[in-house]
Amino acid sequence: MSQNVARTVVRLLADAGVRTAYTVPGESFLSLLDELDAEPRIRLVSTRHESGAAFMAEAEGKLTGRPTLALASRGPGATNLAIGIHTAHQDQTPVIAILGQVESDVRASEGREGFQEVDLAALYAPLTVWSHEPSRPADVPRATAEALTRMYAPRLGPVALSVPADFWAEAYDGEPPKPTAPAPSTPEALAAATQDLAAMIATAKRPVAIAGQGDRVGRESLRRASERFGFGVYVAFRRQDAFSEDHPHFLGHLGLGTTPAVLEALDDADLVMVLGTRLDAITSQEFRYPLPGQRLVILGRGLPEHEPASGTVRLDADPQAVLDALTGDAGHEPGGTDWHDPHQAALDFSHHPARVGSRPDAVTGACGIHPADVITTLRRLAPADVILTNDAGNFSGFFHRYWRFQTSHRLLGPCNGAMGYAVPAAVAAKLAAPDRTVVALVGDGGILMTGQEIETAVRHGTPIVVLAFSNRMYGTIAMHQARAQGRLAGIEIGALDLARWAEGLGAQGFVLDDPTAIEDTLRAALASDRACVVDIRTDPDVIAPERLLSHLLDPGQGRA
C-alpha cells in the first residue's frame, strides 16, 4: 500500500520501540507531526522550548533504555535542541534527533542561505555518534533505519537526521527498511572477557571497580560479583544508584569535591575496572586516574575508543553478562580484601549531623534553609523507588553527598553538567513511570532556564515535585570567582517568588523559609496530586561564596 515518507518513518520508529516524541512543533515537518499524532504507539508531547524536548528525550532514554525521539525545526529550533543532544552524547544515551530542514530546492542553491538555513548535519556531527541529511525523499526511511542502528554501535549515543521540509509528504512505495538490532556478545567473546577479567582480579591485591549506569552494569550482578571476588566499588559521576552506599564494599562517589580520604582506596588500587561507562573528566578526577602502575580495564560495549592510558585492556562485552558469568564460575576462590576503613571514610563523608539552626539574614531577618537538612529529610520521607532528577549547581553537592543512595532509587543527572536538566527530565520520568514518585532538584538559575516545562507537566497530568534551591546567584560560578579572582562578577539572580510563578503555570506552590517547617512542607509536596514547586530559601550563611568551598568540600567546617 502506498504511503508517504512521514508515515513510513513513524511506523519504523514505533516498530523500533520509540514511545514518545518530544518537540516544539515547526513548519518544516508538518506531515511528520500529523503522522506522529495519529500513531497510537507514540505519544506526541509538545514542550515549551526545544532544550526541554531534548532533555526529556535524554531522560526517558536513560530511564527506560529504549530509543527516544526529539524533533526541532531548522536553525533556531535545532540550535536550541543541541544542549540536550550534547548531554545524550556525554551520557551515552540513545536519542534520535529529527531536524526539519529548509526545502530541498533551497538546499540545492548554494550560497542563497534560505530562511533559517543551517547545515544541520554538519552542526550536529560533533554532538552525535552519527549525523546525516538524505538527498532524496526515498532515502529518508533508509536513513532512519540506519540512524536507529548507529545509535547503538560502534558507539552508544544520539544520532541526528536532517530532512528537507518537502520530503515528508512525498509518496513512498518501497518496502519499509528495518534497523539492525544490536548484536549480543558472542558466547566466545563473553567467555574470553570473563576469563580475562577473572584472571586479572585473581592476581590483584587491591582490585576496585568504577560502576557506570546501573541498568547497563546490572545492580544485583555487580553486588554478587563484588561479594564473590572481594573487589571494592566506586560509582561514576552521577551514577550513584548503581551500588548501595550501605554495602560494606562501597567506597564512594567519584564526583565533584571528592575528598582525599574517599580517594585513598582508589589511590592504593592495583587493578581498576571501569564497568559500562567511559572514564570521563569528573569520574577520573580531571584525568588523574589511572595512576602510574595501575592496571586499567574497561568493560562494556559501545564505549568511546579513546585510551585513557597506555596498556589499557578493553573487553568488548556486555558488563552484566560478564559479571553474571563471573559469579557462576566456581573455579575461583572468593576474594578477601578488607574494605572496612575506606567504606567508613565514604560513610563519614556523607554523614550529616542533626540540625542546629541557622543565623538570621542581616537584611531580611529570615533564618533560611540549610540544603543538607532538606536532602536528609527528603531521604527519610521519599518512597524506596523514588526517581530523582538533578540539575547542575552547588546545591547538587549537598544532594550527592548526603542522600545515601540505594539500588532501589533511580538517579537521572547530566554528566556534562548542563543547567536546566532537572525539570524536563522529571516530566519525562513521570510520563514513563506514572506510578513512581518523581522529584526534581534544581537551583534558581536552572529553574529559570527550563522551568516553564512545569506547564507541560500540568497539561499532561504528571504530578512531579520540584525542589528549587534559591540562593539568588549562579553559585558555582560565584564559588570559582571567589576562589580564583577574589571578587564576583555577573552572577546575580534577582529576588524571586517561585511559588507564585508555579501557580501561574497551573502547579501548586510552596515557600520554605522556616527550618522548622521542612518536614511538613515536604510531606505536603510529596502528597500533592498535581505538579508542585517548593521555593526553598536557602541559608545565606551556607551559600555565601566565601563559605561554599568549606561547606561542600571540608567535612570539618560548619554544619555541612
Side-chain angles (χ1 to χ4, degrees):
M1 181 178 66
S2 178
Q3 57 186 348
N4 63 19
V5 169
R7 180 60 182 149
T8 304
V9 166
V10 168
R11 283 189 171 183
L12 182 59
L13 293 168
D15 289 346
V18 172
R19 292 296 173 261
T20 319
Y22 302 97
T23 186
V24 173
E27 68 271 28
S28 56
F29 48 92
L30 297 177
S31 297
L32 183 62
L33 287 170
D34 192 50
E35 294 295 344
L36 284 168
D37 193 49
E39 171 55 59
R41 292 173 291 174
I42 296 178
R43 173 168 25 199
L44 181 61
V45 176
S46 174
T47 65
R48 301 287 64 84
H49 193 272
E50 290 89 354
S51 61
F55 283 142
M56 289 182 197
E58 197 282 335
E60 182 189 330
K62 188 180 291 176
L63 179 65
T64 67
R66 63 188 177 221
T68 56
L69 174 63
L71 305 101
S73 184
R74 303 185 186 181
T79 48
N80 282 342
L81 194 79
I83 183 174
I85 303 305
H86 177 252
T87 302
H89 191 256
Q90 293 226 324
D91 282 60
Q92 302 162 256
T93 306
V95 176
I96 179 167
I98 293 183
L99 312 171
Q101 184 56 281
V102 301
E103 289 75 8
S104 58
D105 60 336
V106 178
R107 287 290 288 154
S109 304
E110 295 184 11
R112 289 177 63 182
E113 193 173 336
F115 179 63
Q116 300 181 340
E117 181 179 6
V118 176
D119 187 344
L120 298 177
L123 175 69
Y124 269 69
L127 303 177
T128 59
V129 298
W130 186 75
S131 181
H132 179 68
E133 182 174 309
S135 58
R136 302 180 305 151
D139 294 336
V140 178
R142 178 200 56 78
T144 305
E146 184 168 359
L148 290 164
T149 300
R150 293 287 193 104
M151 69 198 317
Y152 295 105
R155 176 175 173 173
L156 185 66
V159 293
L161 202 59
S162 169
V163 180
D166 54 309
F167 283 7
W168 294 113
E170 291 292 320
Y172 182 81
D173 296 321
E175 183 70 21
K178 293 183 178 180
T180 302
S185 301
T186 64
E188 295 78 13
L190 180 60
T194 303
Q195 183 176 6
D196 291 346
L197 189 60
M200 287 184 279
I201 295 173
T203 58
K205 295 181 179 179
R206 301 284 292 179
V208 302
I210 299 174
Q213 188 171 323
D215 289 339
R216 294 175 188 163
V217 175
R219 295 171 178 85
E220 279 300 297
S221 302
L222 176 60
R223 180 191 61 77
R224 288 193 298 267
S226 172
E227 293 171 355
R228 177 75 173 81
F229 283 84
F231 58 81
V233 179
Y234 285 93
V235 287
F237 182 45
R238 291 183 169 162
R239 297 293 182 261
Q240 287 166 277
D241 61 357
F243 199 77
S244 292
E245 293 189 24
D246 60 2
H247 192 283
H249 289 192
F250 174 75
L251 303 179
H253 171 225
L254 296 176
L256 297 166
T258 307
T259 62
V262 173
L263 292 173
E264 186 174 340
L266 187 53
D267 290 338
D268 294 341
D270 54 352
L271 174 65
V272 179
M273 302 171 286
V274 180
L275 308 177
T277 186
R278 64 190 183 93
L279 198 59
D280 62 86
I282 306 301
T283 299
S284 66
Q285 305 295 289
E286 293 299 332
F287 305 110
R288 176 185 175 191
Y289 299 100
L291 298 174
Q294 289 182 328
R295 192 172 197 181
L296 179 67
V297 180
I298 298 179
L299 170 61
R301 310 198 70 193
L303 300 177
E305 296 181 358
H306 171 71
E307 300 291 349
S310 60
T312 298
V313 177
R314 285 190 171 273
L315 301 177
D316 185 18
D318 177 70
Q320 182 172 356
V322 171
L323 293 175
D324 286 340
L326 277 176
T327 55
D329 185 353
H332 295 275
E333 292 297 321
T337 305
D338 181 9
W339 298 110
H340 176 270
D341 289 347
H343 173 62
Q344 189 60 49
L347 293 183
D348 290 345
F349 180 67
S350 64
H351 174 69
H352 175 55
R355 284 178 282 168
V356 294
S358 301
R359 295 185 304 184
D361 182 84
V363 177
T364 66
C367 284
I369 305 298
H370 194 297
D373 293 338
V374 176
I375 298 304
T376 54
T377 304
L378 179 68
R379 174 67 175 81
R380 180 164 48 83
L381 298 178
D385 65 346
V386 64
I387 299 172
L388 302 148
T389 70
N390 76 285
D391 221 270
N394 269 323
F395 76 89
S396 67
F398 297 98
F399 169 57
H400 289 301
R401 178 171 177 176
Y402 294 119
W403 181 263
R404 291 205 174 183
F405 280 83
Q406 299 292 310
T407 53
S408 61
H409 305 143
R410 289 296 175 271
L411 172 61
L412 305 178
C415 287
N416 67 343
M419 290 182 70
Y421 178 87
V423 173
V427 176
K430 192 65 175 178
L431 287 171
D435 295 331
R436 296 176 70 172
T437 298
V438 178
V439 180
L441 299 99
V442 63
D444 45 2
I447 200 170
L448 290 177
M449 292 184 178
T450 58
Q452 67 271 17
E453 300 303 342
I454 291 167
E455 187 278 334
T456 307
V458 171
R459 182 164 28 92
H460 283 273
T462 53
I464 61 172
V465 177
V466 179
L467 303 185
F469 295 82
S470 297
N471 63 359
R472 299 180 60 178
M473 70 175 75
Y474 289 116
T476 301
I477 306 307
M479 180 183 69
H480 288 304
Q481 289 177 341
R483 179 172 56 184
Q485 305 295 120
R487 59 186 181 274
L488 306 181
I491 51 82
E492 305 88 353
I493 296 174
L496 304 171
D497 189 338
L498 294 175
R500 291 184 63 188
W501 171 76
E503 290 168 356
L505 294 172
Q508 188 171 6
F510 300 89
V511 174
L512 179 54
D513 58 5
D514 178 0
T516 66
I518 291 175
E519 179 162 340
D520 288 345
T521 303
L522 293 182
R523 283 189 184 277
L526 291 169
S528 178
D529 60 358
R530 59 190 173 115
C532 65
V533 174
V534 183
D535 182 358
I536 303 170
R537 313 288 173 81
T538 56
D539 184 339
D541 179 54
V542 173
I543 55 80
E546 66 272 12
R547 296 283 288 163
L548 286 171
L549 277 174
S550 63
H551 276 292
L552 288 172
L553 306 185
D554 186 351
Q557 291 287 331
R559 297 170 51 239

